[in-house]
Amino acid sequence: MYQGTSPTSTGTSAQAVRRAALVAALDVVDGGPEERFERITRIAREAFGVSGSFLNIAGAEVLTIKSQQSDAVYGPTIPLEDTFCGRTLDQLGPVVVPDARADARYADMPMVVEDPNVRFYAGVPLRVGEDHVKVGTLCLVDPQPRTLDDDDVALLEELGVWAERELATGADEDRLRGVLAGLQPLPVAVPGYRLGGMSVPHGVVSGDLHEWHLSGTALHLTIADVMGKGMAAGLLAATIRGALLARPDEDPERVVAALDEQVAPDLGRAESFSTMFTGRLDPASGQLDFVDAGHGLVLQMRADGAERTLLSSDLPIGLHPAGLSRSTGSLVLEPGDVLVLVSDGALELWDSTLTSLSRLGALWRQEPDIDAFLARVRARALEHDPGDDLTVVVLARD
């Protein structure tokens, strides 16, 4: 039986972004009570003889009570911070608190010292998806102290598995695709430049991401490729994007250092890693300062017809040794120059080598309009399935 550890926060902002994206895709928060969940909480209350049983869905900052069996009605939403269930999300397994008033970790919580005066709590985190993201809890509460034996905990966990399977049935593919598509960058206007991109998932969702935004006049531009495909890679990509957006003004070196510290552990637990190219452009001078974390799939085409591929000397995020500084680089986009950034799915459009970048460059020279160019890349992908997520971004200086 797991008694819990010292309370921690309800997770980093990146974890919250990933959880919120999946919760939105599950499409269970709105719509009121559903019998498929009411049945579970009803059985839980009767089986354990407690005053209340709850199935909660955790967003970034709010806990939604999806189903409750109790004499008093709560919610439908409460702040996630400083709740038993918020803390349960930080634990690996079941959390059992026999007497919250006698436990210094929980004694000062509002729901202990105030209504509903909880003394006993037991909860299990609910996980969904290939990456087993914790999206909520199934929990029991009572105003009287009590304990659970190993068989009781096992029963609570089985009820939790039932709840997880019911949640998973709500993962409608079209909605999931729409939610994660909403994580794509919004158009920005950079005088003297044209910017556009696309991401085509191999399955329902993509493990690639591309992101751009303005900070003052500077343009921040990123492309990343998480190892693998499917929902797990997509959720890890959403985690990276959330961490990027949390640092909108920082230079590339500091951004990647922060990701090495914050996101690399998530990637390690998922036995994955992510390559990334991220840079900051000064539009006036055309200078782009960048860090390339094992990506190496950036083509610079000059107005005079010359081209070069920017190669990386650093390891991807999740594989780079902790504490080791990363290499930085810079380039200048002169008038008429173009930068094409791709994920490795683009290489599979031809011969799986860097020669494919030159083939993309040739497509651009034939069709130097971003929308038309991207349409031709999509057409190529239909003819020659890359078998991988495909992302292409173009930055052109007029």
Side-chain angles (χ1 to χ4, degrees):
M1 180 165 57
Y2 187 76
Q3 298 289 339
T5 59
S6 299
T8 60
S9 69
T10 56
T12 65
S13 59
Q15 290 171 327
V17 167
R18 180 171 55 170
R19 184 173 68 236
L22 183 53
V23 166
L26 293 175
D27 196 21
V28 295
V29 171
D30 298 324
E34 298 180 51
E35 177 57 28
R36 60 191 179 120
F37 299 124
E38 296 286 288
R39 184 182 305 120
I40 297 171
T41 53
R42 189 163 53 240
I43 291 174
R45 186 184 186 189
E46 293 174 357
F48 291 97
V50 291
S51 65
S53 61
F54 302 84
L55 193 155
N56 305 306
I57 306 298
E61 298 178 349
V62 172
L63 198 68
T64 298
I65 302 174
K66 181 61 182 176
S67 176
Q68 57 183 305
Q69 307 294 329
S70 63
D71 294 334
V73 178
Y74 302 97
T77 62
I78 58 176
L80 178 61
E81 185 178 4
D82 209 22
T83 62
F84 282 104
C85 289
R87 295 179 181 183
T88 298
L89 292 172
D90 292 315
Q91 309 305 331
L92 296 177
V95 172
V96 179
V97 183
D99 187 351
R101 289 187 187 174
D103 192 324
R105 299 169 299 175
Y106 302 96
D108 62 346
M109 290 180 59
M111 60 184 59
V112 175
V113 298
E114 302 169 4
D115 185 62
N117 302 117
V118 173
R119 298 288 292 276
F120 165 77
Y121 170 88
V124 290
L126 304 179
R127 299 174 173 85
V128 174
E130 297 174 15
D131 203 27
H132 304 291
V133 176
K134 289 179 280 191
V135 298
T137 61
L138 177 67
C139 67
L140 314 170
V141 299
D142 200 89
Q144 300 299 322
R146 57 179 297 170
T147 59
L148 296 183
D149 60 27
D150 290 344
D151 289 340
D152 291 332
V153 174
L155 174 58
L156 183 58
E157 289 183 296
E158 287 299 324
L159 289 169
V161 171
W162 183 3
E164 289 171 348
R165 290 175 179 171
E166 291 291 352
L167 286 169
T169 63
D172 177 81
E173 287 192 357
D174 288 337
R175 181 169 175 80
L176 180 58
R177 185 184 291 109
V179 168
L180 294 181
L183 299 179
Q184 303 303 314
L186 297 175
V188 296
V190 184
Y193 293 81
R194 290 174 290 145
L195 174 65
M198 69 173 193
S199 186
V200 180
H202 177 62
V204 178
V205 297
S206 176
D208 294 350
L209 75 91
H210 61 289
E211 171 58 33
W212 56 65
H213 63 271
L214 293 173
S215 174
T217 60
L219 173 69
H220 294 253
L221 177 64
T222 300
I223 186 170
D225 185 351
V226 176
M227 184 195 74
K229 297 180 284 292
M231 186 181 292
L235 291 173
L236 289 169
T239 300
I240 293 171
R241 184 175 187 271
L244 280 171
L245 294 180
R247 298 167 177 84
D249 304 322
E250 296 186 7
D251 62 71
E253 188 174 11
R254 290 174 60 87
V255 167
V256 175
L259 291 174
D260 279 329
E261 180 179 353
Q262 178 180 338
V263 180
D266 284 344
L267 292 166
R269 284 189 289 270
E271 298 183 345
S272 185
F273 60 83
S274 177
T275 65
M276 173 183 287
F277 177 96
T278 184
R280 182 175 63 183
L281 173 74
D282 173 25
S285 65
Q287 178 165 322
L288 179 76
D289 299 317
F290 63 85
V291 171
D292 191 322
H295 197 72
L297 297 176
V298 179
L299 178 69
Q300 182 181 11
M301 295 183 289
R302 299 192 182 280
D304 61 7
E307 62 180 44
R308 66 162 176 156
T309 300
L310 305 180
L311 301 178
S312 174
S313 60
D314 285 353
L315 292 174
I317 296 167
L319 297 179
H320 195 76
L324 184 65
S325 61
R326 287 189 176 274
S327 304
T328 60
S330 65
L331 60 86
V332 176
L333 281 179
E334 302 288 353
D337 287 0
V338 179
L339 210 61
V340 179
L341 308 89
V342 304
S343 65
D344 56 9
L347 304 185
E348 306 302 325
L349 295 176
W350 283 279
D351 62 1
S352 305
T353 73
L354 287 177
T355 303
S356 298
L357 284 179
S358 292
R359 303 291 293 272
L360 275 175
L363 276 185
W364 170 263
R365 295 187 191 283
Q366 295 169 17
E367 195 71 71
D369 172 84
I370 291 180
D371 290 339
F373 168 70
L374 295 178
R376 294 191 65 176
V377 175
R378 286 181 183 274
R380 178 72 186 182
L382 290 175
E383 297 172 0
H384 301 271
D385 181 7
D388 199 355
D389 301 326
L390 168 65
T391 298
V392 179
V393 176
V394 179
L395 174 63
R397 186 171 186 184
D398 293 333

